[in-house]
Amino acid sequence: MAEAFCFLLRRDLSEAVPDAQWPAGIEWSAYREELAPAVHQLMQLGHLEGGGRVPPLNEWRQQFASDPEYDPALCFVACDAGGVVGVAQCWTSAYIKNLVVHPRMQGRGLGRALLLHAFSAFQKRREGFVDLRVLEDNLRARRLYESVGMDLVRRELVAD
């Protein structure tokens, strides 16, 4: 198997963060347990495109809720009339663990809105920066992250 690499990206939060502009028909909320099946399904769909894996629902729920950095107030869920279409799962260490946008909503500004909303939430928590990792070959995501002011910290070998 060929080695895979990712980039650690960082956004300085001492700089102004633009307000999130949500696409029409989108409402966001913090994660709630009743959203778990739909959030899990979206994350599975997102990982098919972006790499990685998502464990089965019950295992995922357990890992999600028992993670020491888990705070449901830092998991932002975007919904439209058809259900969950976007998720930004963040950790208390000012780290964006997952950002997933449903394929039918891609290219409409939802990923950008979720990121800017997360940045603003971390600013309110007085964090100095926010980090995330992206696979080196995920050019679409890298362009999005660069467009919201994220800078390369380092290139890392992806651990199995």
Side-chain angles (χ1 to χ4, degrees), residues 33-56:
E33 182 57 32
E34 62 267 21
L35 296 172
V39 168
H40 178 263
Q41 186 175 23
L42 180 61
M43 287 193 174
Q44 285 184 311
L45 182 63
H47 283 282
L48 289 176
E49 292 184 0
R53 71 169 201 87
V54 178

Side-chain angles (χ1 to χ4, degrees), residues 13 17-22 27-30 72-78 88 90 96 99 109-125 130 148:
L13 295 178
V17 173
D19 290 336
Q21 301 297 313
W22 299 96
E27 292 188 16
W28 76 268
S29 69
L74 290 175
C75 183
F76 309 110
V77 180
C90 305
I96 299 172
L99 176 74
L110 181 55
R112 180 181 179 83
L114 283 164
L115 283 169
L116 293 175
H117 186 76
F119 295 168
S120 180
F122 282 121
Q123 266 188 332
K124 288 177 181 145
R125 294 169 69 103
V130 61
V148 294

Side-chain angles (χ1 to χ4, degrees), residues 89-115:
Q89 177 189 2
C90 305
W91 283 343
T92 56
S93 59
Y95 182 79
I96 299 172
K97 168 71 174 142
N98 287 296
L99 176 74
V100 183
V101 174
H102 194 284
R104 71 181 167 85
M105 286 300 296
Q106 290 177 359
R108 297 177 53 190
L110 181 55
R112 180 181 179 83
L114 283 164
L115 283 169

Side-chain angles (χ1 to χ4, degrees), residues 2-159:
E3 290 182 334
F5 290 88
C6 67
F7 292 138
L8 175 64
L9 302 178
R10 177 170 286 171
R11 172 62 152 80
D12 179 354
L13 295 178
S14 66
E15 303 167 7
V17 173
D19 290 336
Q21 301 297 313
W22 299 96
I26 295 294
E27 292 188 16
W28 76 268
S29 69
Y31 174 81
R32 300 181 313 276
E33 182 57 32
E34 62 267 21
L35 296 172
V39 168
H40 178 263
Q41 186 175 23
L42 180 61
M43 287 193 174
Q44 285 184 311
L45 182 63
H47 283 282
L48 289 176
E49 292 184 0
R53 71 169 201 87
V54 178
L57 177 60
N58 288 336
E59 184 182 338
W60 174 82
R61 258 188 170 129
Q62 176 61 30
Q63 288 176 357
F64 191 62
S66 65
D67 190 301
E69 293 197 63
Y70 167 69
D71 179 347
L74 290 175
C75 183
F76 309 110
V77 180
C79 297
D80 68 4
V84 173
V85 291
V87 177
Q89 177 189 2
C90 305
W91 283 343
T92 56
S93 59
Y95 182 79
I96 299 172
K97 168 71 174 142
N98 287 296
L99 176 74
V100 183
V101 174
H102 194 284
R104 71 181 167 85
M105 286 300 296
Q106 290 177 359
R108 297 177 53 190
L110 181 55
R112 180 181 179 83
L114 283 164
L115 283 169
L116 293 175
H117 186 76
F119 295 168
S120 180
F122 282 121
Q123 266 188 332
K124 288 177 181 145
R125 294 169 69 103
R126 303 200 187 286
E127 297 290 348
F129 57 85
V130 61
D131 290 341
L132 63 75
R133 284 179 175 78
V134 60
L135 291 174
E136 182 176 44
D137 61 0
N138 191 341
L139 300 179
R140 182 180 187 155
R142 286 177 40 204
R143 282 193 298 273
L144 170 62
Y145 301 146
E146 290 165 6
S147 78
V148 294
M150 300 200 82
D151 297 312
L152 177 65
V153 174
R154 69 180 167 266
R155 181 177 185 243
E156 303 174 339
L157 185 61
V158 176

